[in-house]
Amino acid sequence: MRKVRVSIVIALLTLSALAGLQGWSYTAGEGVAASALRLSGTTGQEALNIVSLAGKDIDIGNNGPATAAILDTPRMLAVDSGGNVYVADVARVWRIDHATGIISTVLGTGSAGMGGDGVATESAINIAFQVSLDGPNTLYVSETTNNRIRRVDLSTNTVTTIIGTGDAGLPTYGQQTSGQKITNPFGVFVHRVSADQAWLYFTDGGTRAVSKIDLSVGQPTSGQIILVAGGNGNGFSGDGGPATAAKFANPRSVSVDNNGLVWIADTNNSRLRMIDAAGIINTVAGTGVSGDTGDEGLATSANIGFPFGLAFDPANNVYVTTLNGVRRIDSAGYIHAFAGNPLVAGFSGNNGPALDAKETMALGVAYDSTSGKVFISESSNHCVRSVDTIGPDAGIIKQVAGNPILDPGGARARCQNLRHAWLRSR
């Protein structure tokens, strides 16, 4: 018999963890549908404790079929060279085995906390937001609420803190990461240039900056943190100039394309921005207006809504999650619908055309070069699904892990209602 320990109500939240806009609070005893959510009207330190009645102490499905597991609020994804999928969740990072479909924990205990370095599956974490692989056995994880970035050695089940002390603060650029503070790291991405040279990019929610850590061996800057873009306060500016002079509004993810160019999801500006080889930044998708327009036209003329995740395929098509769907920007700069409808939330469509499916809060996206599948995490649907891009099932969406139907009308449904109320109140 499966046992579940359910916490009462941890109702501070965040949709700042999802869209990162206004702060808000929930008062116990208020009705969920109407008065549960109150916007404060001011932007304070983001309270990144996801509203959840269940999930902090849940261990249903661990080491079993991924489709039978209960996920909390899955965020960003990564896929390794063997097709195994890694999923950042509230209090753990999951691994879905490509060959068997079995899901297991590689970091965290399932109960949110502030664990130390050592055994990865015994170290508590709090709001794992994004994951990125560096080879087959090294996984980097941004731990948003705990203000740190961790490195997991998958071959030895050990975890090490790369930067962050647990306390929020500002880093000193040009210095070693040891002892340095950061604030609410969100996106992380490893760009390996060669066997001896690599960079760990990350977005900092406190400074609205994109930074990188030199992972190289034997270089003058090895182990140092370097400013890449932003850090100039919240807003929008800087296109056509140096990225270090630009402003962002809650950048949530960062990635590097096949040409070595840095892409940033400037989430609350509803834009994708790119830094070229000369360090100049420009908008490559979005107009600054949230929406879902412009399909089959230039991405720079399209409205996109709160982009979060980014993933590139070998042809340099970029897949981007926008609210309740995924859009694709081809290498020529044209944008296309790919899955779901960004403006319509729901859960439907398994084993049918992805364009007809309904998704809710699609956050993470990852491309699997071994199979041609695009994996999508749906945070408010508590699941991961995939869409084939090649073969006889091209364009078909399928269930991979989790399922909102496993908890109908339960804790996650109430959590989802809160998030939808937040969006309607904006």
Side-chain angles (χ1 to χ4, degrees), residues 27 37 48 52 84 90 109 111 319 347 358 369 378 400 412:
T27 301
L37 205 54
L48 294 174
S52 180
N84 305 300
V90 171
T109 64
S111 186
Y319 300 85
F347 179 76
K358 289 183 179 178
S369 296
E378 299 175 39
V400 175
R412 288 168 174 71

Side-chain angles (χ1 to χ4, degrees), residues 388-415:
D388 288 76
T389 62
I390 57 176
D393 286 344
I396 301 300
I397 192 167
K398 303 172 185 177
Q399 199 75 14
V400 175
N403 196 319
I405 299 172
L406 294 175
D407 186 34
R412 288 168 174 71
R414 290 190 287 276
C415 179

Side-chain angles (χ1 to χ4, degrees), residues 331-350:
S331 58
Y334 288 82
I335 193 168
H336 314 272
F338 181 76
N341 182 331
L343 302 182
V344 179
F347 179 76
S348 67
N350 279 342

Side-chain angles (χ1 to χ4, degrees), residues 38-331:
R38 293 203 306 270
L39 292 176
S40 70
T42 60
T43 301
Q45 179 176 346
E46 296 179 322
L48 294 174
N49 296 314
I50 279 289
V51 174
S52 180
L53 301 179
K56 300 289 182 183
D57 297 298
I58 278 182
D59 200 31
I60 292 181
N62 195 28
N63 298 316
T67 50
I70 291 185
L71 309 185
D72 197 319
T73 47
R75 288 165 180 76
M76 303 302 193
L77 308 170
V79 183
D80 67 18
S81 59
N84 305 300
V85 181
Y86 296 82
V87 185
D89 207 336
V90 171
R92 71 173 83 227
V93 175
W94 302 94
R95 177 186 183 273
I96 304 167
D97 187 87
H98 170 71
T100 65
I102 297 299
I103 193 169
S104 58
T105 300
V106 296
L107 175 63
T109 64
S111 186
M114 180 75 177
D117 292 350
V119 180
T121 50
E122 296 177 2
S123 179
I125 62 174
N126 198 353
I127 308 293
F129 193 84
Q130 190 161 23
V131 289
S132 182
L133 287 149
D134 183 18
N137 291 316
T138 304
L139 182 73
Y140 288 88
V141 182
S142 59
E143 200 180 336
T144 303
T145 301
N146 285 341
N147 302 307
R148 57 186 181 174
I149 296 173
R150 319 290 296 284
R151 179 177 60 207
V152 180
D153 186 326
L154 299 170
S155 65
T156 62
N157 188 28
T158 56
V159 62
T160 306
T161 299
I162 298 304
I163 189 171
T165 65
D167 296 323
L170 303 178
T172 300
Y173 294 109
Q175 300 295 319
Q176 298 292 311
T177 59
S178 178
Q180 294 243 39
K181 295 179 181 179
I182 54 176
T183 303
N184 299 149
F186 284 94
V188 290
F189 184 84
V190 177
H191 179 220
R192 180 152 291 281
V193 180
S194 66
D196 295 327
Q197 185 179 15
W199 299 96
L200 174 64
Y201 290 83
F202 71 94
T203 61
D204 189 305
T207 61
R208 271 71 175 181
V210 178
S211 305
K212 65 181 180 181
I213 298 169
D214 192 347
L215 302 179
S216 304
V217 177
Q219 299 297 318
T221 57
S222 295
Q224 292 184 9
I225 181 172
I226 299 168
L227 178 66
V228 175
N232 304 299
N234 193 62
F236 172 75
S237 67
D239 273 4
T244 51
K247 286 186 177 182
F248 300 101
N250 295 317
R252 282 301 180 256
S253 63
V254 58
S255 189
V256 178
D257 70 12
N258 301 328
N259 298 317
L261 304 179
V262 179
W263 289 59
I264 301 159
D266 194 355
T267 302
N268 284 15
N269 279 327
S270 292
R271 298 172 184 261
L272 298 184
R273 302 171 78 180
M274 184 181 70
I275 304 171
D276 66 19
I280 303 301
I281 192 169
N282 280 292
T283 296
V284 289
T287 63
V289 177
S290 178
D292 179 35
T293 66
D295 281 342
E296 310 309 318
L298 287 172
T300 49
S301 299
N303 292 344
I304 59 176
F306 300 108
F308 263 82
L310 299 169
F312 293 90
D313 66 16
N316 221 34
N317 294 295
V318 58
Y319 300 85
V320 54
T321 54
T322 63
L323 291 176
N324 305 307
V326 181
R327 301 174 79 178
R328 178 179 66 88
I329 302 169
D330 63 32
S331 58

